[in-house]
Structures are given as C-alpha cells and as structure tokens.
Amino acid sequence: MSTTLLVIQHVDHEGPELVGQLARERGMDLQTLRPDRGDCLPSPSECPNSIALVLGGPMGVNERHQPDLHWLQTELNWLTAWHRQSRPILGICLGAQLLAVAAGGSVQPLQVGAPPQQLKELGLGAIHWVADPTHEALLQGQPSGSLALHWHGDRIHLPADATLLGSSLHCAEQVFRIGDHAIGLQCHLEINGDALQRWITNDHTYVMSALGPEGPERLMREWRWLGDELQEQGRHFFNAALDQLQACCSAR
C-alpha cells in the first residue's frame, strides 16, 4: 500500500511546494483538504499509512476562538487526536503551532529585547542546529546551520516531551520533533521562487510592515541570490523527514 500525504491547507497561495514534489517522486498519493472551506477531516482510523502535512497561513493558533475561524479549533481537536495516536505529522508554520498546542505547548507573540518589543521575523535568514547530529536522523549530513525563510510574528513554547532541533537568532523554537512521529518547523524550507512571489503579493501589507517599503523587492532580490541554496537544504531535510515519517507508517 502506498503512503498518502494528507495535505491540510489553509489559504490558496500556501501549498505543499517542495514537500509535495518530494512525495510525488516517492510515489506517494497526495490528498488536499481545506478545513477553512468546510472540508471534513477524516478520522485517524480511516487513514492507514498516511502522513499529515499541516501547512501555514496568515492566521495564528490563538485566533481559533474568533467566530470566523471556528474551523481552526476543529482542526486543532483533530490534530490532537491524530497526535495522541502517534500518527505521522509534519507541521510547517501555523502547522507547527497547531502541533505544539496539540501536544501541550503554547504560542505567544515573538518578543525581543529589554523591555520586550514585538518582532516580526521575516526574510531569508539562518537557522542553526542545536541537537547532536549523531543522535538525530533528521540532522545527519546537515551543516551546522541552514538557510530558511522566516515569515511569522509568534514564538512556540514547546511541550515537555519535544526535542528542539533548530533555532534562529531571534526565535529559539524553529525546528523540533516529538518522538519519531511528529516534526514541526516554524520556518519555511519548502518554498520556491514562484510561491514566494505569490506570498509577497498576498501578504504585501505584512511584508511592508516588517521590512518597510523596499521589503518586497528586497525579498525577491535575495531569493535570486540564495534561493538555490535554500531549496537544496530543504530537499535534504525533507527527504530525511519523509524517510522517518514513512518508517513510522510502516511500523504501525
């Protein structure tokens, strides 16, 4: 039986990108669900040999009690049940926030400095690996640091059973795992140039608020310079992640 990548998508312009490409190369089936449009999320018992890929979006997990985002609470309840059964999960950005909260963690605005000031971490920047790669399959063969796209204003406070893998200068909790079945990334390694242009177009006001009026042009200029490197590092990481999560499927 082939593995299914169950893609939980929240906005039109944020798709699975590199993760979807790698999954197809492995012969995996992709199924996309849009809880924001009313799609029902299947019971974990109805999804044998499936990996949940929970993507990002402009909303935050703490907005789930707003009337127009009631579906986000439903999704969190579903992900909590999925996680408690140790089903494979890969969460990116909002997906990582949902995973952390489902496992007992929390999410707060990202603040830096003294006195604390809220920060939007946005742009191409480094993450450094903080775990021993000899004991972490996800990090074997990785350099000490990697390039990632940052696009958030929140910080994840990890649950007690999480293992921190990667941090950035301003946000400690960038990449983590919970057991072998759940992997979360606050940052983006799945992005490509076409997707980045869509994100800038759709989140133009957010980019301007974080980087100023020259921010959109600066982002694309940096992508032309560094995008190939980011994609190569993303391919390396997500291949290791899919190896680990497919092994979880096989072990069930």
Side-chain angles (χ1 to χ4, degrees):
M1 180 185 298
S2 65
T3 305
T4 296
L5 187 67
L6 193 63
V7 180
I8 314 301
Q9 188 168 336
H10 306 111
V11 288
D12 291 342
H13 62 277
E14 290 198 39
E17 312 309 345
L18 178 58
V19 184
Q21 176 187 332
L22 294 175
R24 291 187 185 95
E25 289 174 3
R26 291 165 177 255
M28 296 171 63
D29 299 320
L30 270 67
Q31 179 184 357
T32 300
L33 295 171
R34 294 290 299 269
D36 61 309
R37 294 179 176 175
D39 287 353
C40 292
L41 297 170
S43 168
S45 63
E46 299 172 357
C47 301
N49 212 37
S50 295
I51 298 169
L53 171 62
V54 188
L55 297 174
M59 64 291 292
V61 65
N62 292 332
E63 299 175 64
R64 63 189 184 276
H65 302 300
Q66 296 182 10
D68 59 336
L69 292 174
H70 61 88
W71 56 267
L72 195 55
Q73 180 64 56
T74 302
E75 181 178 338
L76 176 60
N77 295 341
W78 173 83
L79 190 62
T80 300
W82 189 277
H83 167 65
R84 285 177 177 170
Q85 295 186 29
S86 297
R87 301 273 179 168
I89 306 164
L90 177 57
I92 300 175
C93 199
L94 172 61
Q97 295 182 15
L98 286 162
L99 169 59
V101 174
S106 64
V107 175
Q108 302 295 332
L110 176 61
Q111 295 184 321
V112 297
Q117 299 183 38
Q118 192 161 348
L119 174 71
K120 295 173 182 175
E121 188 178 31
L122 196 153
L124 299 180
I127 53 173
H128 55 277
W129 304 114
V130 298
D132 184 348
T134 61
H135 299 134
E136 292 292 340
L138 291 171
L139 303 186
Q140 289 178 9
Q142 288 277 15
S144 59
S146 292
L147 190 67
L149 175 68
H150 303 287
W151 199 292
H152 69 107
D154 290 319
R155 176 183 178 183
I156 296 170
H157 293 271
L158 295 176
D161 58 347
T163 298
L164 180 63
L165 302 178
S167 303
S168 68
L169 176 63
H170 295 299
C171 184
E173 299 85 1
Q174 288 288 350
V175 185
F176 62 94
R177 66 167 177 84
I178 304 173
D180 291 327
H181 74 281
I183 301 166
L185 298 92
Q186 176 64 81
C187 57
H188 296 275
L189 293 170
E190 83 285 6
I191 196 75
N192 60 39
D194 290 341
L196 179 59
Q197 185 62 72
R198 292 197 306 271
W199 289 21
I200 292 171
T201 299
N202 283 273
D203 282 348
H204 194 265
T205 300
Y206 188 79
V207 175
M208 297 270 284
S209 68
L211 299 178
E214 296 182 358
E217 180 182 346
R218 172 184 157 194
L219 268 177
M220 291 309 301
R221 184 171 63 249
E222 290 180 348
W223 179 264
R224 289 190 290 271
W225 179 32
L226 298 169
D228 288 347
E229 178 183 347
L230 186 152
Q231 289 190 295
E232 180 59 31
Q233 292 172 349
R235 176 177 287 272
H236 188 100
F237 180 87
F238 286 125
N239 267 322
L242 290 173
D243 283 345
Q244 181 167 309
L245 297 178
Q246 283 192 285
C248 290
C249 287
S250 299
R252 291 193 62 83

